[in-house]
Amino acid sequence: MQGMKKLGVGAFALFLSLSARADFTWNFPEPVTPMALDTLHVHNKFMLITAVIFVAVLAIMIYSIVTHRHSKGYKPVADKAPSTAVEIFWTLIPFAILLLIDFVIMGIPAYHSVVMMEDTRDQSTMVIKITGSQWRWQYEYLDGDAKGIKFVSNLATSNDQMHNEADKGEHYLLEVDNPLVLPVGEKVRILMTASDVLHNWWVPQFGSSRVAVPGFIRETWVQVEKAGVYRGQCKELCGKGHGYMPVVVNAVSKEEFAQWANKKQDEQKAANDVKEMTKDELVAQGKVVYEKNCAVCHQVTGAGLPPAFPALTGSKIATGPIFGADGKYQKDSHLDRVLNGKGVMPAWKATLNDTEIAAVITYERNALGNTAAVDALVQPAQVKAARE
Amino acid sequence: MSTTTVAHHDEHHDDHPTGIMRWLTTTNHKDIGTMYLTFSLVMFLVGGSMILGIRAELFKPGLQLMNPEFFNQLIGVHALIMIFAALMPAATGFANWMLPLQIGAPDMALPRLNNWGFWILPPSAILLTLPFTLALFGVGDGALATGWTFYPPLSVQGGIGVDFAIFAVHLLGISSVLGSINIIVTIYNMRAPGMTLMKMPMFAWGWLITAFLLIATIPVLAGAVTMLLTDRHFGTHFFDAAGGGDPIMFQHLFWFFGHPEVYILLLPVWGFIPQILQTFSRKPMYGYKAQVYSLWSIGALAVVVWAHHFFTAGMPVPALLYFMYSTMAISLPLAVLFYCWIRTMWKGSMSFETPMLFTVGWIILFGIGGLTGLVLADVAADAQYHNSYFVVAHFHYTLFAGGIMGIMAGVYYWLPKMTGHMYNEKLGKTHFWLTAISFNVTFIPQFFVGLAGMPRRIPDYALQFAEFNMISTVGAFVLGLSQLLFVYIILSCVKGGKKATDNVWEGAQGLEWTLPSPPPYHSFTEQPVVK
Amino acid sequence: MALEQAQVAANKKLALKLVWIIAGALLFAFALVPLYDVICSVTGLNGKTNNTAESASKAVVDLKREVTVQFVSSVMPGLGWNFYPKQSSVVVHPGQVTTVMFEAKNITSEEVAGQAIPSVTPGKASAHLKKIECFCFVRQTLKPGEVKALPLRFFVSADLPKDVQEMTLSYSFFPASQ
């Protein structure tokens, strides 16, 4: 018994020592949207109320445990059921307290929070479409300065870090190659959908969370009040990469946002002007694209994870012909699969540009242990033609 | 099952077969109860070792022991085993052992059905875990990896593990439905003369409501997973948007079963906890009627609050508000129950043998589970709690503390009656303190890590969650190893120990304590009369 | 100890009654599927819209109010099409019948059929988006390289809740199951 108590005290001391560290919180992280602020208030209030109830009831129990003991010779009373008016009154008290908490003290603020969350009255200044797919987020700006910008956001943490072969960076598992950029102070409507299974786009500091459902559209909204980088994760189990699809949002001033949007639009335009590339150039760029987007399923070596994710090494698709006699790509050819996807394989035409697709296909056909006899090289121009 | 065979079979019980055949063919309620409890204990250890694998992986950031696929399989199978193969059979085991004794019946009403109900369980447990073994031999890609909730489209995409789990759930469902029929019939038809419904022991009430919830909701689960099976293999589109279906509909169907399931796991415990309290407080339980009505209201509310499990899936505002307020309303009857439990202790003459320690610990820890549940009902805050470790901690306070620790209280309470020996009190108390403390060390950090933003069901996590996870893992291992002590205490109590008296506990009340310890193979040759 | 014959018969009778409850619950589970669709179409629970043509004569125009209807498109994996709305949004009066165009192109070398699945957000608006003519009512088949203009004629019913000023109509094109 004594040892047990020591253990408990030890654990408690450990807890206290932890609180000295600054990089984690004991409560919700600092809210940066009106919704998150509201959520934090509701949460704090509710937690306080439940803590008071808990402590009060525990105190009564402890008093009773200490006092009404057989070993102290305490004689039991024989009350069986509330019979007198006083007893009935006492029985109704817990009921009444909770009635008050449920439907007044907490019920009323909760009502307002729900209405706020589902607020559709104001016209938003910007609309973004977020598509969850295994295991990355796709972002598309539907209007405003950034209209037409779309990109994929992949986990940027290296495999070495995950397998403990390299030191873990500060934002281990919470870093991406292309963060979502949002202007501070603007109400942004977020449309949510998915291309394969359920996902849930969640940034704790935004206080909003909504499931992305394939084939359906859902919405929520954020209005970030403070510039900064905010990190979150997918929080609906979506397969083996569920822990590896972080959300990173970079909230910047309106001016910076406009600059970023201009730059991004120019980049996207530039990517449309395709040029002839050598095999080495294609393979080199393809390796980067492959390891960012494809390796999570097909593995860095191309061995895949059969049966769910087939190997690319020696695969018929990755070595067989792509183009038919008419110069068009054939069904179930390598290009078809990368462009249009099938089943678990995503359709990349919406998210990778012509050069990237040409590069990754060329890489897959000439590396990973493959040497394709036909159509070994795919040029960006061919991908561009195939798209149209 | 014809009437004659039942009668015939029962007449020959005096020279029942021995060895393995005794257990395979038995229709004796105590034998079957023992088998349920043994099965439950074994599966508790199996499910527990799975979660220790997970906690070991989560001890520090990075992938140490397993790949994410295997991690996902372990979490889902852990949950299914703990719910369907550990907690539910334990409650059914107690029902088999104690209900006939408590209501003065010679046996369960449908003994043959009772035997079938049990023997469906082991094959279904094997079905559930077989894909792990198959994967070792290169067949399929392992067990169910969708979490225990089977959400499509992930479960439509999944491998053979999903099919095995679906069949296992079908069988487990049939088993518990058969058990429920038996319990309802026993309670309605087999009570001792004079025992009206409102004179029944509270355990019988808890189980009666549980059994009704089971037969009303298990078929809905069976239907939902059957639709999933046809979506997977026969081209239907119940949950596929492409064919006009909706994946979210599965969540409605699943939680229509899944929320009552929580009360299915807890109501039997709420039944015997007041009995333990009155025994060790040496004072009759307070507010019997209030408790019965509260149990009924909770049973009724259980089937109308399901959508609070997926507020973030998107719902119209009126639906959000309805599910929020109806969920909060569950706290009203629960408050009455807590009041009655504590009032039973109040001004009693309490002694703290192991069952009482577990019961008091149970009230406190289940209280935390209940209060955090109330907080979770708040739609706005739920956007943060949902699928975070806060929820994981919450439901372990309700299902480990509220479920399993309650069952442990029951085990210590009735073990002397069942075996005829006293267990080792000192070890029992040690087991309680180890369990209670390590449980809190495991799950309190999970509340905080959830608030800080760690989602559940992830095999690896960001560095800011590392310290809490480390503490949680240490707690989990102490908690897991403490249960070996539990097994040892039970085994040594079965083997021998101080003889137990008929009454066992000074303040014990109820018909089961009027029989010798252990009770004869056929209890109540003369049916008792209750005045 | 043997149970009395009468007791056994009574037990069996009650057990059979309980089996009926179970059968009822099982039936209920499958009845929930159509029931869910009904609830969704009434409350807009999942954002689905009508999949048969609405009559234009039901449109009552409310000139005092304007609603922005935005269009979003997705092409699901396995369908080798380009598909997008020709206009990203329109501003309409409730009740005003409007035609908008979408365009689909088959970029594969084979004939392919696709099925468009509509979805509206916010959910409470979904029942108020009435389609008179829609390419989503039937599956669409495109020859290799074929470009097809896909019209949608719709109106927003005048009883659209007052607080909805902006709604989004999304089409996800799935490969049609054979």
Side-chain angles (χ1 to χ4, degrees), chain C residues 51 81 114-117 134-141 148 150 173 176:
Chain C
N51 50 14
W81 289 12
Q115 172 68 53
I117 301 295
C134 179
F135 56 91
C136 61
F137 291 159
V138 290
R139 65 167 61 169
Q140 303 288 333
T141 307
K148 199 169 182 179
L150 302 168
F173 244 112

Side-chain angles (χ1 to χ4, degrees), chain A residues 259-302:
Chain A
Q259 279 170 14
W260 171 84
N262 271 332
K263 199 176 128 236
K264 199 84 185 171
Q265 274 161 338
D266 290 345
E267 270 173 32
Q268 236 160 277
K269 267 198 208 97
N272 269 338
D273 302 330
V274 296
K275 57 177 200 288
E276 188 86 7
M277 289 168 81
T278 67
K279 184 176 162 187
D280 289 345
E281 283 172 340
L282 284 168
V283 169
Q285 191 180 346
K287 185 172 174 10
V288 178
V289 177
Y290 180 85
E291 280 167 11
K292 219 182 232 181
N293 297 292
C294 318
V296 58
C297 300
H298 296 296
Q299 305 296 294
V300 180
T301 58

Side-chain angles (χ1 to χ4, degrees), chain B residues 115-152:
Chain B
N115 175 292
W116 296 343
F118 172 76
W119 281 109
I120 293 174
L121 281 181
S124 50
I126 291 170
L127 264 187
L128 198 55
T129 46
L130 191 62
F132 284 121
T133 323
L134 288 179
L136 290 180
F137 295 99
V139 182
D141 44 9
L144 174 86
T146 64
W148 79 285
T149 48
F150 288 97
Y151 282 1

